[in-house]
Amino acid sequence: MKETITIKLLKTIQRGYEALSHEAKLMMSDFILTQRCREGGFINKQGEQDLYYTTFGSLLQYVFGIKYNTGELRSYLDTIDADKLDLIHYAAYMRCRLLASVSDSKFLGALTALTSQKKIRNEESFEVWPNNDKNAPYSRFIWHSLLEDTNNSEQNTWLSKEYSVEGGGYSNMKGQDAASVNATAAALMVKGQTEGYDKTSQDVLYLLNSQLPSGGFKDSPQTHMPDLLSTATALFTLRCYDTQPRYSAQEFVEAHWLDNGGFGATILDSSSDVEYLFYGLLALGTL
C-alpha cells in the first residue's frame, strides 16, 4: 500500500525524535504532558481543550511512546457533534478517532490505525472550508489527507490551474502574481500522492529557491521573517521529492527550541504548544 501523507509525516517526526539527545527527549516528553487535559484532549495556546491541537498531541504521544488512556480520548470525542465541524476540525476528529482505537502506545499501532477504513462525510456536507474556498491547494490537501487516513477512494482530489503562479508555485487565492510556500507545499503533496513525485517540476524549484541563507522559509515575500511552520512544511515536501535544500536548516530549527521543551513559531516567540513541537520535530526529521 502506498504511504499516506500522515504516515510520511509520522515517520519523518520519528526520525527527528531518534536524533534527539536523551535529555531533549525527556524535556519534550514533559512538555507534552503539560499540554494534556484530564478529559482526554490537548490544550491550545489559550489553555483550552482543543480538538485541532488534540490531533497533534495524540500523534506526538505515539512518537514519544507516552502511555495514555484511549478511553478518555474516546469520551472526549463523544462530546463532539462531528456533523457540525468544518473540514479542518473534522479531519482532526477522524484522525483522533482512528488513534483512539489503538490499545497501546506503540508507534506501529498508530501507523496501522491511520490506514483503517472509516466512513466519512461527503465533500458537499462541509459549509466551512479553509480560506472559504474548497478548491484552494490547502483545502485539497486537507481533503486528500482525510481520504487517505480513512482509507477511502480518491475522489475529487484535483488542483485547479487558477491557483498556479506563473514561474512556479501555488497560491491559496486565484490569479495571484506571487506564490506562497505553504500553498505550494500543500499542492505538491497532493500532486505527489496522486501523480507521482516529479522533482523536475518548476513548483519544486520555486520551493527550493524560497529558502533563505539562514535555513528558514518565509510563507511569502511579504512576510517579515521566516517561521517554523513554513520551514517544516517546505523541508518535508522537498524531502518527499528527494530534493536537497540549498542551505542547512539545523541552526535555524534549533534556535526555535525553547527552555520549556517546545518550539516557538518564530524566533520572537517565547511560548509553544503541541502543534509547534510537531513542526519542530518534523523539520528536524528532514535534516
Side-chain angles (χ1 to χ4, degrees), residues 26 47 53 57 66 72 101 149 174 192 201 220 241 245 277 282:
L26 289 178
Y53 288 81
I66 299 172
E72 290 179 353
S101 69
D149 287 347
K174 298 177 183 177
S201 162
S220 71
Y241 276 84
L277 176 54
L282 180 64

Side-chain angles (χ1 to χ4, degrees), residues 119-224:
K119 185 178 179 180
I120 61 173
R121 289 165 52 186
N122 60 47
E123 192 173 349
E124 290 70 29
S125 70
F126 296 99
E127 295 182 3
V128 180
W129 289 78
N131 308 300
N132 294 315
D133 187 349
K134 66 181 291 185
N135 297 321
Y138 182 61
S139 296
R140 304 323 302 168
F141 171 81
I142 296 295
W143 176 248
H144 182 79
S145 296
L146 173 61
L147 290 175
E148 286 188 336
D149 287 347
T150 54
N151 199 16
N152 281 280
S153 59
E154 297 172 354
Q155 299 175 4
N156 300 327
T157 300
W158 51 272
L159 293 166
S160 171
K161 291 183 179 179
E162 293 179 292
Y163 302 90
S164 181
V165 175
E166 186 176 354
Y170 279 80
S171 170
N172 278 315
M173 295 183 288
K174 298 177 183 177
Q176 297 298 300
D177 295 327
S180 154
V181 162
N182 287 305
T184 303
L188 282 171
M189 289 310 299
V190 174
K191 290 179 73 173
Q193 291 294 99
T194 56
E195 302 173 14
Y197 287 87
D198 177 13
K199 64 189 297 183
T200 65
S201 162
Q202 66 173 358
D203 303 318
V204 176
L205 184 60
Y206 160 79
L207 205 59
L208 184 66
N209 290 333
S210 296
Q211 190 180 26
L212 301 172
S214 67
F217 289 77
K218 297 193 298 183
D219 181 45
S220 71
Q222 293 74 36
T223 308
H224 292 300

Side-chain angles (χ1 to χ4, degrees), residues 247-260:
Y247 308 104
S248 170
Q250 186 83 37
E251 290 186 4
F252 177 86
V253 177
E254 290 180 352
H256 289 69
W257 189 31
L258 304 175
D259 291 340
N260 64 5

